[in-house]
Amino acid sequence: MIVLAAQSQRASDSIEKVRLEEKIRGLNTTDNLEKKSLQNQLNTLRIKDSIRLVQKKLAIDSRRSAATGYPVIGFFKDTLFTIYNNSGSFTAHDRAVAVSDRIQKLSESFNVAADSLSLVHNESSVDILNGDRIILTISENDALWNDATTKELAEKYREIIQTALKKYKAETSLITLAKEFALAILVLVVLGLIIFYTGKLFKYSANQIEKQQDVRIKGIKIKDYELFDSRRQVNTLLALNKLIKWILILILISVALPILFGIFPWTRHFAETLFGYILTPVKKIAFSLWNYLPNLITIIVILIAFKYVMRALKFLKYEVESGNLKISGFYPDWANPTFQILRIMVLAFMVVVIFPYLPGSDSPIFKGVSVFLGFLFTFGSAGSLSNMIAGLVLTYMRLFKIGDRVKIGDVSGDVIEKSLLVTRLKTPLNEIISIPNSTVMSNHTINYSMESLNQGLVLSAAVTIGYDVPWKDVHKALLEAADRTPQFLKDPKPFVLQTGLEDFYVGYEVYGYTRGANMQASIHSQLFSNILDTFNEDGIEILSPHYRAERDGNAVTIPTNYTNIQK
C-alpha cells in the first residue's frame, strides 16, 4: 500500500509538473507576477522530487551489499550487464532471463542491423527497442542501482547490445567461420605431429637406454650389496621414460584443448574454464611456494647448522673412541652409545625447531596426526622402551663387553652382541641365546673375563680321598696335576685347600689361575685328566665318596699300566 501510494503521488506530481510547465509557456510576457508564482510551485515540485530521489538512493545503497545481481547473457554465453531491480511483478531474475531471450532472438534474424536499436523516453523510464519490439525498459530504480540517470543507463546498455551484435555478426560470417575451421584443423594437425614426433623421440631414448645395459648402466651397488642389477635399472629407466612421455602428451593435450575451444566464439567460455583448471592450480602452487620461500630458507639454515653440530659430535666420538682424547672418568667404550644418545637428542631438538616452519603445522589435522602417532609410539613400545633404558644402564655400568664369558641367571656363554634391546650370548654348545636387557638388569650377572687379564680367573677341582692317604701326598699329586695343565699360570702358583673332614674321606680342592676365561670346560677336562694321572702314578686310590673295596685278593683300583711302572 505504501509503495502504491508513493507511485500514485509521484504520478500526480509529474502531471502537475507538466501542467505548470504548459501554463508557464502559455502566459504572456507581462504576467510576471503569476509566472513567478507558477515557477515557485514548479520549483517546489522539483525539490520534492529531488528529495524523493535522494531517499530512494539511500534506501538502495543500504541494500546494495546484500543484493543479488542477475546477469544478462549475450550471444556467446558472455555477460553483457547485470540487473538488480524488480519491475512490477517481474523479479530481477525473471527480467534478466527475459532480456537474455530477447537479445538471443536478435541473432535469429539476418536482416537486423547492429545500429537498429532505438530509445523511447517515457515519463519515468526509457525503452530500448528493435523496431516495435521492446528489448529492455530502464526504470528510475535501475538507474539508481547503477549510479546514473535513466537516459545515461539506456545509452550505455544500447551501446553494449549493439557492440555485442556487431561482434556476433562479424564472428558468425561464413568467411570467419571458414577461417576458424581451418585454424582448428591446423591446431589438430600440429598437435598430432608434435605427439607423433614426441613418441618417436621417446622411442629413440628407450632404444638408447637398452643399448647402455652393461655398458654405462651397470647397476647400483652399496658396498657389497647390489641394490639394482643392470636389467632392473634399465627396466626402471624405461618405465620412467614412458611415464615422462605420457605426462608430456597430457600436457600438450591440456594446452591444445583451450586453444582449440578458444577459436570458436560458442566454445570460448569453455577455453577460459579449461585454462582456469590448468592455471589456477599452477598459480596456487607458485604463490604457495613463493610465500613459503622464507620458511624454506629458514629450514635449510637450521639443517645446515645441525649438520655441523652432528659433525662436531662425530669427531669427538672418534677421538674418544680411538684414545686420542681422554676424559677423566669417561671410558672409550662409552663413546659410541653416548654419541647415539646425543644424536637422538639433537635430531629431536632439530625437529622441534623446524616443526613451526613446516607447511600446515598449525592445522588441526596435522596436530591430530602428531598426537595419534605419539599415542601409538608411547603405548606400543612400552616394553621396548624399558629394554632400551636397561640397555643404556648396562652400557654405562660396564658389566661386560663383547667377547666376555658371562653367566646371566642360569645362562652361561660368550657375549657376541650388545644392543639397546637385547644381549646375545653364545654358549659352549654354539647355542645363540637372546636375553632382553630388562631381564639382564633383573638377574645377577657373573663376568668371568673381567679379571682374567689382570690377576687371572681362579678355576678349581674337588676330590675326596680316604683317611688312609697322607694329606701331603694328596697335596703333592694335586699340585702336580695343576702344574701339568698348560692354561694355568705359573705365577700366582696353584694351591690346594682341604675343604672338609667327612665320615669316610677328606675333601680336597685344587685352585689355579688362568687367563682363558672362555676355555673353562676344556681346562677343567685337562685338570681332571691330570689329577687321574698323578694320583695313579703316586699309587693313590680314589675310593670315595661311594666306592667300596675289600682286600681279599682283589686288584687295586689303579690301572695295571701304572702299577707295572711302579714295580
Side-chain angles (χ1 to χ4, degrees):
M1 295 297 293
I2 297 175
V3 174
L4 292 176
Q7 292 178 349
S8 177
Q9 181 64 40
R10 184 184 64 183
S12 62
D13 289 345
S14 299
I15 294 171
E16 180 67 17
K17 197 188 318 181
V18 171
R19 187 185 67 81
L20 290 173
E21 289 175 349
E22 290 178 351
K23 195 172 183 179
I24 290 173
R25 286 194 296 270
L27 289 176
N28 295 325
T29 56
T30 57
D31 299 333
N32 291 332
L33 186 61
E34 186 177 358
K35 185 176 182 179
K36 184 177 180 180
S37 175
L38 293 175
Q39 189 66 45
N40 289 336
Q41 294 179 33
L42 184 61
N43 290 338
T44 301
L45 289 174
R46 287 174 178 172
I47 292 171
K48 184 178 179 181
D49 189 56
S50 299
I51 294 173
R52 180 184 60 81
L53 289 176
V54 170
Q55 291 175 344
K56 186 182 288 188
K57 182 69 170 58
L58 292 174
I60 288 174
D61 289 341
S62 66
R63 302 198 309 269
R64 193 180 296 277
S65 60
T68 302
Y70 297 93
V72 173
I73 307 301
F75 303 103
F76 300 121
K77 306 300 180 183
D78 53 336
T79 300
L80 299 180
F81 49 85
T82 305
I83 294 178
Y84 297 92
N85 185 53
N86 302 338
S87 179
S89 61
F90 287 93
T91 63
H93 176 264
D94 295 336
R95 291 182 66 200
V97 171
V99 173
S100 299
D101 291 339
R102 294 167 191 164
I103 292 175
Q104 291 295 327
K105 289 179 180 179
L106 293 176
S107 64
E108 299 174 0
S109 179
F110 291 99
N111 57 358
V112 175
D115 55 354
S116 62
L117 300 183
S118 60
L119 299 180
V120 176
H121 296 271
N122 302 315
E123 181 181 344
S124 60
S125 63
V126 179
D127 294 332
I128 302 176
L129 290 87
N130 174 36
D132 57 350
R133 295 178 58 188
I134 296 177
I135 304 298
L136 173 64
T137 298
I138 309 297
S139 66
E140 184 180 79
N141 288 342
D142 291 325
L144 292 175
W145 274 101
N146 289 273
D147 294 323
T149 64
T150 54
K151 182 180 178 181
E152 292 171 348
L153 188 60
E155 291 284 353
K156 177 181 177 182
Y157 282 178
R158 182 177 68 169
E159 183 65 26
I160 291 173
I161 297 172
Q162 287 179 344
T163 302
L165 187 58
K166 288 178 183 178
K167 183 178 179 182
Y168 175 78
K169 292 288 186 181
E171 294 191 359
T172 56
S173 64
L174 292 178
I175 297 175
T176 304
L177 290 176
K179 291 179 179 178
E180 290 172 349
F181 275 111
L183 184 58
I185 293 171
L186 179 62
V187 170
L188 291 175
V189 170
V190 171
L191 176 62
L193 289 174
I194 293 175
I195 292 175
F196 175 76
Y197 284 105
T198 299
K200 287 278 188 181
L201 175 63
F202 280 95
K203 186 176 180 180
Y204 172 78
S205 63
N207 291 332
Q208 291 300 312
I209 292 172
E210 289 278 5
K211 290 179 181 179
Q212 296 303 319
Q213 183 177 349
D214 297 324
V215 180
R216 291 185 179 179
I217 302 175
K218 299 180 180 180
I220 300 174
K221 287 187 177 181
I222 301 176
K223 294 184 178 179
D224 295 331
Y225 174 69
E226 189 172 22
L227 182 63
F228 284 109
D229 58 17
S230 58
R231 184 67 249 172
R232 286 183 179 178
Q233 192 173 359
V234 166
N235 291 337
T236 302
L237 292 175
L238 289 175
L240 184 62
N241 182 72
K242 189 175 182 180
L243 178 64
I244 294 173
K245 180 186 77 171
W246 284 109
I247 290 175
L248 186 58
I249 290 173
L250 288 175
I251 291 174
L252 290 172
I253 293 173
S254 63
V255 171
L257 281 178
I259 295 174
L260 194 62
F261 286 141
I263 294 173
F264 300 99
W266 297 278
T267 58
R268 202 159 288 157
H269 62 286
F270 291 125
E272 295 175 357
T273 304
L274 286 175
F275 270 123
Y277 288 153
I278 298 171
L279 295 178
T280 300
V282 172
K283 286 181 181 178
K284 285 184 178 180
I285 293 172
F287 282 118
S288 298
L289 290 175
W290 178 259
N291 293 330
Y292 186 68
L293 193 59
N295 288 345
L296 182 61
I297 294 174
T298 304
I299 290 174
I300 292 172
V301 171
I302 293 173
L303 289 174
I304 293 173
F306 276 95
K307 179 182 178 180
Y308 283 100
V309 170
M310 292 300 298
R311 284 188 178 181
L313 291 175
K314 189 176 289 187
F315 172 76
L316 290 175
K317 170 213 165 187
Y318 286 136
E319 290 296 303
V320 173
E321 201 170 33
S322 62
N324 296 330
L325 177 63
K326 295 182 180 180
I327 301 175
S328 178
F330 193 91
Y331 298 93
D333 56 334
W334 286 356
N336 186 61
T338 304
F339 169 73
Q340 297 299 333
I341 294 171
L342 291 176
R343 180 170 174 268
I344 293 173
M345 293 175 64
V346 169
L347 290 176
F349 183 67
M350 181 184 70
V351 171
V352 171
V353 173
I354 291 177
F355 186 83
Y357 298 99
L358 294 176
S361 59
D362 55 346
S363 65
I365 295 176
F366 200 100
K367 294 177 181 178
V369 171
S370 302
V371 172
F372 179 69
L373 292 177
F375 177 83
L376 288 181
F377 179 78
T378 301
F379 290 93
S381 59
S384 299
L385 286 174
S386 64
N387 285 323
M388 291 174 65
I389 294 172
L392 292 174
V393 173
L394 289 174
T395 299
Y396 289 98
M397 287 175 64
R398 304 183 77 240
L399 291 179
F400 47 77
K401 61 181 183 296
I402 301 296
D404 284 357
R405 171 62 64 89
V406 298
K407 183 178 182 181
I408 301 174
D410 296 328
V411 180
S412 296
D414 299 328
V415 180
I416 60 172
E417 182 182 346
K418 287 171 57 181
S419 67
L420 284 177
L421 297 177
V422 297
T423 298
R424 288 189 171 87
L425 304 183
K426 183 178 182 180
T427 69
L429 300 179
N430 285 340
E431 300 167 331
I432 306 299
I433 299 178
S434 299
I435 306 174
N437 286 332
S438 58
T439 303
V440 177
M441 286 292 296
S442 61
N443 280 282
H444 63 276
T445 301
I446 301 174
N447 191 327
Y448 297 109
S449 302
M450 184 172 287
E451 288 297 324
S452 62
L453 298 178
N454 297 324
Q455 295 181 355
L457 175 67
V458 178
L459 297 181
S460 65
V463 295
T464 55
I465 305 298
Y467 282 97
D468 57 322
V469 181
W471 65 267
K472 292 183 180 180
D473 293 343
V474 176
H475 279 222
K476 177 185 175 184
L478 290 174
L479 291 174
E480 178 64 22
D483 190 59
R484 293 183 184 180
T485 304
Q487 288 81 9
F488 277 156
L489 301 176
K490 303 303 180 182
D491 185 24
K493 295 180 179 181
F495 60 93
V496 178
L497 296 177
Q498 282 147 227
T499 58
L501 301 175
E502 308 300 336
D503 292 339
F504 305 103
Y505 50 79
V506 179
Y508 299 91
E509 193 161 359
V510 61
Y511 299 88
Y513 294 88
T514 180
R515 301 196 189 282
N518 302 74
M519 304 170 61
Q520 294 183 50
S522 61
I523 294 173
H524 276 114
S525 178
Q526 291 182 18
L527 179 59
F528 286 133
S529 299
N530 293 332
I531 288 173
L532 290 174
D533 288 339
T534 56
F535 272 50
N536 290 330
E537 290 170 3
D538 292 343
I540 300 173
E541 294 181 276
I542 302 178
L543 300 177
S544 58
H546 301 295
Y547 191 89
R548 295 288 183 268
E550 296 181 2
R551 296 295 180 235
D552 56 358
N554 292 334
V556 296
T557 57
I558 301 173
T560 55
N561 58 333
Y562 288 99
T563 55
N564 291 332
I565 293 173
Q566 292 172 4
K567 292 178 179 179

